[in-house]
Coordinates of all heavy atoms in Angstrom, one line a residue:
E28 N 249.7 169.8 180.4 CA 248.9 171.0 180.6 C 249.9 172.1 180.9 O 250.9 171.9 181.6 CB 247.9 170.9 181.8 CG 246.8 169.9 181.5 CD 245.7 170.0 182.6 OE1 245.5 171.1 183.1 OE2 245.2 168.9 183.0
S29 N 249.7 173.2 180.3 CA 250.6 174.4 180.4 C 250.1 175.4 181.5 O 248.9 175.6 181.7 CB 250.7 175.1 179.1 OG 251.2 174.2 178.1
F30 N 251.1 176.1 182.1 CA 250.9 177.0 183.2 C 251.7 178.3 183.0 O 252.5 178.3 182.1 CB 251.1 176.4 184.5 CG 250.2 175.2 184.8 CD1 250.7 173.9 184.5 CD2 249.0 175.3 185.4 CE1 250.0 172.8 184.7 CE2 248.2 174.2 185.6 CZ 248.7 172.9 185.3
G31 N 251.4 179.3 183.8 CA 252.1 180.5 183.8 C 251.9 181.2 182.4 O 250.8 181.4 181.9
S32 N 253.1 181.6 181.8 CA 253.0 182.4 180.5 C 252.5 181.5 179.4 O 252.2 182.1 178.3 CB 254.4 182.9 180.2 OG 255.3 181.9 180.1
M33 N 252.4 180.2 179.6 CA 252.0 179.3 178.6 C 250.5 178.7 178.9 O 250.1 177.8 178.3 CB 252.9 178.1 178.4 CG 254.3 178.6 177.9 SD 255.3 177.1 177.5 CE 255.4 176.3 179.1
A34 N 249.9 179.4 179.8 CA 248.6 178.9 180.2 C 247.5 178.9 179.2 O 246.5 178.2 179.3 CB 248.1 179.7 181.5
D35 N 247.7 179.7 178.1 CA 246.7 179.8 177.1 C 246.8 178.6 176.1 O 245.9 178.5 175.3 CB 246.8 181.1 176.3 CG 248.2 181.3 175.7 OD1 249.1 180.6 176.2 OD2 248.3 182.1 174.8
R36 N 247.8 177.8 176.3 CA 247.9 176.6 175.4 C 246.9 175.5 175.7 O 246.7 175.3 176.9 CB 249.3 176.0 175.4 CG 250.4 177.0 174.8 CD 251.7 176.3 174.8 NE 252.7 177.3 174.3 CZ 254.0 176.9 174.1 NH1 254.4 175.6 174.4 NH2 254.9 177.8 173.6
E37 N 246.4 174.9 174.7 CA 245.4 173.8 175.0 C 246.1 172.5 175.6 O 247.3 172.3 175.2 CB 244.7 173.4 173.7 CG 243.8 174.5 173.2 CD 242.6 174.7 174.0 OE1 242.2 173.7 174.7 OE2 242.1 175.8 174.1
P38 N 245.5 171.8 176.4 CA 246.1 170.5 176.9 C 246.4 169.6 175.7 O 245.7 169.6 174.7 CB 245.1 169.9 177.8 CG 244.2 171.1 178.2 CD 244.2 172.0 177.0
T39 N 247.5 168.8 175.8 CA 247.8 167.9 174.7 C 248.0 166.5 175.3 O 248.1 166.3 176.5 CB 249.1 168.3 174.1 OG1 250.2 168.2 175.1 CG2 249.1 169.7 173.5
A40 N 247.8 165.4 174.5 CA 247.9 164.1 175.0 C 248.6 163.3 173.8 O 248.4 163.5 172.6 CB 246.5 163.5 175.2
D41 N 249.4 162.4 174.2 CA 250.1 161.4 173.3 C 249.9 160.0 173.8 O 249.9 159.8 175.0 CB 251.6 161.8 173.2 CG 251.9 163.2 172.6 OD1 251.6 163.2 171.3 OD2 252.3 164.1 173.3
L42 N 249.9 159.1 172.9 CA 249.8 157.7 173.1 C 251.2 157.1 172.7 O 251.7 157.4 171.6 CB 248.7 157.1 172.4 CG 248.6 155.5 172.6 CD1 248.1 155.2 174.0 CD2 247.6 154.9 171.6
E43 N 251.8 156.4 173.6 CA 253.1 155.7 173.3 C 252.9 154.2 173.6 O 252.4 153.8 174.6 CB 254.2 156.2 174.2 CG 254.5 157.7 174.1 CD 255.6 158.2 175.0 OE1 256.0 157.5 175.8 OE2 256.1 159.3 174.7
I44 N 253.4 153.4 172.6 CA 253.4 152.0 172.7 C 254.8 151.5 172.5 O 255.4 151.7 171.5 CB 252.5 151.3 171.6 CG1 251.1 151.9 171.7 CG2 252.5 149.8 171.7 CD1 250.1 151.4 170.6
R45 N 255.3 150.9 173.6 CA 256.7 150.3 173.5 C 256.4 148.7 173.6 O 255.7 148.3 174.5 CB 257.5 150.7 174.7 CG 257.9 152.2 174.6 CD 258.7 152.6 175.9 NE 259.3 153.9 175.7 CZ 258.6 155.0 175.9 NH1 257.4 155.0 176.3 NH2 259.3 156.2 175.8
A46 N 256.9 148.0 172.6 CA 256.7 146.6 172.6 C 258.0 145.9 172.0 O 258.7 146.4 171.2 CB 255.5 146.3 171.8
S47 N 258.1 144.7 172.5 CA 259.2 143.8 172.0 C 258.7 142.4 172.0 O 257.8 142.0 172.8 CB 260.5 143.9 172.8 OG 260.3 143.5 174.2
W48 N 259.3 141.6 171.1 CA 258.9 140.2 171.0 C 260.0 139.4 170.3 O 260.9 140.0 169.6 CB 257.6 140.0 170.3 CG 257.5 140.5 168.9 CD1 257.8 139.7 167.7 CD2 257.2 141.8 168.4 NE1 257.7 140.6 166.6 CE2 257.3 141.8 167.0 CE3 256.8 143.0 169.1 CZ2 257.0 142.9 166.3 CZ3 256.5 144.1 168.3 CH2 256.6 144.0 166.9
T49 N 260.0 138.1 170.5 CA 261.1 137.3 169.8 C 260.5 136.6 168.5 O 259.4 135.9 168.6 CB 261.6 136.2 170.8 OG1 262.2 136.9 171.9 CG2 262.6 135.3 170.2
A50 N 261.2 136.8 167.4 CA 260.8 136.1 166.2 C 261.4 134.8 166.2 O 262.6 134.6 166.6 CB 261.4 136.9 165.0
V51 N 260.7 133.8 165.8 CA 261.1 132.4 165.8 C 261.9 132.0 164.6 O 262.5 130.9 164.6 CB 259.9 131.4 166.0 CG1 259.2 131.7 167.3 CG2 259.0 131.5 164.7
D52 N 261.9 132.9 163.6 CA 262.8 132.7 162.4 C 263.3 134.0 161.8 O 263.0 135.0 162.4 CB 262.1 131.7 161.4 CG 260.8 132.4 160.9 OD1 260.8 133.6 160.7 OD2 259.8 131.7 160.8
S53 N 264.0 133.9 160.7 CA 264.6 135.1 160.2 C 263.6 135.8 159.1 O 264.1 136.8 158.4 CB 265.9 134.8 159.5 OG 265.7 133.9 158.4
R54 N 262.4 135.4 159.0 CA 261.5 136.1 158.1 C 260.8 137.3 158.8 O 259.8 137.3 159.4 CB 260.4 135.1 157.7 CG 260.8 134.0 156.8 CD 259.7 133.1 156.4 NE 258.6 133.9 155.6 CZ 257.5 134.3 156.1 NH1 257.1 134.0 157.4 NH2 256.6 134.9 155.3
L55 N 261.6 138.4 158.8 CA 261.2 139.6 159.5 C 260.3 140.6 158.8 O 259.7 141.5 159.4 CB 262.5 140.3 160.1 CG 263.0 139.9 161.4 CD1 262.0 140.2 162.5 CD2 263.3 138.4 161.5
G56 N 260.3 140.4 157.5 CA 259.4 141.4 156.7 C 258.0 141.4 157.2 O 257.5 142.6 157.4
P57 N 257.3 140.3 157.4 CA 256.0 140.3 157.9 C 255.9 141.0 159.2 O 254.8 141.6 159.5 CB 255.6 138.9 158.0 CG 256.4 138.2 157.0 CD 257.7 138.9 157.0
H58 N 256.9 140.9 160.1 CA 256.8 141.6 161.4 C 256.8 143.2 161.2 O 256.0 143.9 161.8 CB 258.1 141.3 162.2 CG 258.1 139.8 162.6 ND1 258.0 139.4 163.9 CD2 258.3 138.7 161.9 CE1 258.1 138.2 164.1 NE2 258.3 137.7 162.8
L59 N 257.6 143.6 160.3 CA 257.6 145.1 160.0 C 256.3 145.5 159.4 O 255.7 146.6 159.8 CB 258.8 145.5 159.1 CG 258.8 146.9 158.6 CD1 258.9 147.9 159.8 CD2 260.0 147.1 157.6
E60 N 255.7 144.7 158.5 CA 254.5 145.1 157.8 C 253.3 145.1 158.9 O 252.5 146.1 158.9 CB 254.1 144.0 156.7 CG 255.1 144.1 155.6 CD 255.0 143.0 154.6 OE1 254.2 142.1 154.8 OE2 255.7 143.1 153.6
A61 N 253.3 144.1 159.8 CA 252.2 144.1 160.8 C 252.4 145.3 161.8 O 251.4 146.0 162.1 CB 252.3 142.8 161.6
W62 N 253.6 145.6 162.2 CA 253.9 146.7 163.1 C 253.5 148.0 162.4 O 252.9 149.0 163.0 CB 255.4 146.7 163.5 CG 255.8 147.9 164.3 CD1 255.6 148.2 165.6 CD2 256.4 149.1 163.8 NE1 256.0 149.4 166.0 CE2 256.5 150.0 164.9 CE3 256.9 149.5 162.5 CZ2 257.2 151.2 164.8 CZ3 257.4 150.7 162.4 CH2 257.6 151.6 163.5
S63 N 253.8 148.2 161.1 CA 253.5 149.4 160.4 C 252.0 149.7 160.3 O 251.6 150.8 160.3 CB 254.1 149.4 159.0 OG 253.4 148.5 158.2

């Protein structure tokens, strides 16, 4: 939320997802496809 000289700006919101996991083999293409 903005205040002072920027008080006329609308509130904003962002969603952040941080995630990690261990792949059991070297086939990483499907991991990227699922994450995308």
